[in-house]
């Protein structure tokens, strides 16, 4: 099962008033609402939007390690999910971090003159 979450910043703008534009972290929804309330009290019509800067992908499937990655666009995140799902179905998915770790263990054992089976 794959999950995509938009972790981009929020931007609050006021038409024809660029000096009132502010950016907020994706987790600061209460601060966005407070700033918009403050602007409305001053007579402005603020507009809030979440940008398309950062997308978090979490993939959990039975029989595989959970996988988590961040991408700069929703399209890249969706493409990663499709590619990973296809590779896992066909048995081609390789966990690169695990392979790098195993390669370093094998090299260190070879350097010491030992042959070890790593599983």
């Amino acid at each position: 099962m794959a999950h995509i979450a938009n972790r981009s910043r929020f931007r609050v703008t006021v038409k024809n008033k660029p000096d009132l534009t502010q950016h907020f972290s994706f987790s600061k929804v209460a601060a966005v609402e407070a700033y918009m309330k403050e602007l409305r009290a001053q007579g402005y019509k603020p507009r809030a939007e979440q940008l398309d800067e950062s997308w978090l992908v979490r993939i959990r499937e039975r029989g595989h390690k959970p996988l988590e990655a961040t991408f700069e666009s929703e399209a890249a995140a969706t493409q990663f999910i499709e590619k990973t799902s296809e590779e896992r179905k066909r048995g081609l998915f390789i966990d690169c971090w695990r392979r790098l770790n195993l390669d370093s263990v094998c090299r260190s054992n070879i350097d010491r003159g030992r042959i070890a089976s790593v599983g």
Side-chain angles (χ1 to χ4, degrees):
M1 178 178 174
H3 173 74
I4 300 177
N6 188 349
R7 296 178 60 101
S8 304
R9 298 179 298 166
F10 284 98
R11 178 174 56 199
V12 178
T13 58
V14 177
K15 188 174 183 179
N16 297 328
K17 296 281 186 180
D19 56 315
L20 296 177
T21 299
Q22 284 195 12
H23 291 87
F24 297 89
S25 174
F26 77 95
S27 61
K28 305 289 184 188
V29 177
V32 171
E33 292 172 353
Y35 185 60
M36 289 184 66
K37 187 176 182 181
E38 177 185 326
L39 290 173
R40 285 189 189 111
Q42 294 175 12
Y44 297 112
K45 295 180 182 178
R47 181 174 168 232
E49 64 180 332
Q50 192 168 15
L51 303 175
D52 185 21
E53 299 173 327
S54 178
W55 291 85
L56 175 69
V57 173
R58 288 186 178 131
I59 302 175
R60 291 181 173 178
E61 291 180 16
R62 183 174 291 179
H64 296 281
K65 282 186 175 182
L67 187 61
E68 197 171 291
T70 306
F71 298 91
E72 292 182 359
S73 68
E74 186 177 14
T78 305
Q79 182 181 15
F80 175 74
I81 290 172
E82 291 170 358
K83 179 183 175 197
T84 303
S85 296
E86 178 189 337
E87 287 179 351
R88 283 183 172 181
K89 285 178 187 172
R90 294 185 358 193
L92 297 176
F93 180 76
I94 298 172
D95 188 354
C96 297
W97 295 110
R98 181 170 183 255
R99 182 174 181 192
L100 288 173
N101 190 24
L102 289 176
D103 287 348
S104 64
V105 168
C106 290
R107 275 194 222 107
S108 65
N109 286 333
I110 290 170
D111 291 343
R112 292 183 194 141
R114 289 188 257 165
I115 298 175
S117 64
V118 180

